[in-house]
Amino acid sequence: MDHQTEQALIDELLGLSRSGSAYLDQEVTYSDVTDYLDETRFAAEKASLFRRLPLIACHGSELPDPGSFLRSELAGQPALLTRDRDGQVHAFLNVCRHRGARLVDDESGCKFSFSCPYHAWTWSNAGELRGIPHQKQGFPDIDKSRYGLVRLICAEKHGWVWVVPDPGAGTDIDAHLQPLTSDMDWLQMENLQIMQTDRVVCRANWKLLIEGGIEAYHFHVAHAETIGPHFPDNLSSYQMLGPHIRSVLPRITFGELAETEVKDRILRNHANIVYSVSRHRSGWFKRITSSGFRWTRFPPV
Ligand code: FES
């Protein structure tokens, strides 16, 4: 985010605060309750959103060295993330090309090759098939170059490893994230480290969780005893960045910016900024907050 944008966001919210106004859309819209309950729609969302658009699979610091690997599940797909000898990150289906056994059981570690626990076919951490026991007897004509691990589109950008879980999706990760480039550079998330990971399972449609995180309307009611007092009542704004959303949620100290010289005004010191990455029609997924290294992912289950 450039300085001009940052100051414009501050001025807009200071103006709303002074006038006692709220940041509103042009008109009230309604969502049908079936959007949240319909199983057919949910299946379509999983197929078109979570499997075909880039998901954050991990932070780059979770694959710190050549040989580092992580086992993961992305939108229901078993995935294996690796960093090869040249530092390049790869993502594969964690599935053996022989008879489909799960290739890697360990959650993480450091290995340069992976042997299947069933018949010991072996792949390099760059996905090349390297070894087949009894190859001359059983597979004399096999072309090993055709049996590399199934590769998922993957890119390490802005500190994160982004992966498209559907191997046939053909999604352009760079193009998809381009509208966020300025903000992601500003956040410098590549300099962060994972300190703690929490996993929370909610029995709720994923859209409910996203929607609750991008407005401040409920803070003083639902969170009256916790975070509510740390935020002004119902003060927030949002901007569309291509298919993504940036939400700005001022904290209680935000008013101090009215008395601060423009050159010294730093938005992140007085507001939470939440990025909802990869909006598609009425759905969002992936939230990145600017207040430290905390992110939430919402894989459908
Ligand atoms: S299933 Fe993996 S080597 Fe046979």
Side-chain angles (χ1 to χ4, degrees):
M1 184 190 302
D2 58 39
H3 180 76
Q4 192 176 358
T5 302
E6 182 179 12
Q7 300 311 312
L9 293 174
I10 291 171
D11 286 335
E12 181 178 48
L13 284 159
L14 285 174
L16 290 172
S17 179
R18 266 194 300 272
S19 63
S21 308
Y23 188 94
L24 299 172
D25 287 340
Q26 294 296 317
E27 58 188 43
V28 175
T29 56
Y30 297 87
S31 299
D32 196 292
V33 72
T34 57
D35 291 353
Y36 301 84
L37 297 175
D38 184 77
E39 290 291 336
T40 304
R41 179 188 173 105
F42 181 51
E45 288 171 346
K46 282 197 285 188
S48 65
L49 292 172
F50 292 92
R51 291 209 170 163
R52 299 186 70 83
L53 294 177
L55 298 180
I56 290 177
C58 69
H59 190 260
S61 65
E62 294 177 89
L63 296 169
D65 304 307
S68 296
F69 73 89
L70 274 180
R71 176 169 66 77
S72 185
E73 185 178 299
L74 300 170
Q77 299 275 64
L80 174 64
L81 310 169
T82 69
R83 191 179 293 281
D84 68 20
R85 291 183 189 279
D86 299 324
Q88 180 75 32
V89 170
H90 304 270
F92 308 103
L93 288 183
N94 185 19
V95 176
C96 175
R97 293 296 309 276
H98 176 215
R99 281 176 54 192
R102 182 158 79 177
L103 179 61
V104 176
D105 274 331
D106 292 344
E107 287 200 4
S108 63
C110 187
K111 281 184 177 177
F112 289 91
S113 63
F114 301 97
S115 285
C116 177
Y118 202 168
H119 310 96
W121 287 31
T122 299
W123 285 264
S124 76
N125 69 348
E128 302 135 336
L129 179 57
R130 286 286 164 77
I132 301 176
H134 307 292
Q135 181 184 342
K136 284 186 182 161
Q137 290 170 293
F139 308 93
D141 301 322
I142 193 169
D143 177 358
K144 285 192 195 161
S145 68
R146 294 186 55 214
Y147 290 91
L149 295 177
V150 175
R151 188 173 292 278
L152 306 177
I153 294 173
C154 168
E156 188 171 16
K157 292 183 71 69
H158 310 302
W160 304 97
V161 175
W162 304 81
V163 176
V164 180
D166 182 342
T171 307
D172 184 335
I173 294 178
D174 283 349
H176 190 69
L177 297 180
Q178 193 282 327
L180 290 168
T181 298
S182 172
D183 282 50
M184 296 292 111
D185 288 345
W186 176 68
L187 290 168
Q188 298 184 345
M189 291 184 287
E190 63 277 10
N191 296 331
L192 303 175
Q193 292 281 325
I194 292 278
M195 297 301 293
Q196 179 181 331
T197 299
D198 297 315
R199 179 178 169 84
V200 178
V201 178
C202 300
R203 290 180 59 80
N205 184 269
W206 64 278
K207 293 189 292 292
L208 292 172
L209 306 179
I210 298 286
E211 290 162 358
I214 58 176
E215 46 90 352
Y217 182 37
H218 69 287
F219 282 12
H220 277 215
V221 182
H223 305 307
E225 304 295 327
T226 54
I227 63 167
H230 298 286
F231 292 84
D233 188 19
N234 196 25
L235 181 65
S236 66
S237 68
Y238 76 87
Q239 303 79 41
M240 298 305 303
L241 304 174
H244 317 293
I245 302 175
R246 175 178 59 212
S247 309
V248 186
L249 305 162
R251 295 195 287 271
I252 202 69
T253 60
F254 190 78
E256 295 173 15
L257 291 172
E259 312 300 327
T260 307
E261 289 220 30
V262 168
K263 67 178 177 52
D264 296 325
R265 299 194 307 186
I266 299 173
L267 178 60
R268 290 177 69 185
N269 289 351
H270 300 279
N272 286 7
I273 308 169
V274 178
Y275 293 87
S276 301
V277 181
S278 298
R279 176 182 177 274
H280 180 75
R281 296 188 188 142
S282 63
W284 295 270
F285 60 95
K286 203 69 64 190
R287 288 168 53 208
I288 303 171
T289 77
S290 67
S291 51
F293 188 38
R294 177 168 172 267
W295 57 282
T296 310
R297 56 183 182 176
F298 296 105
V301 292

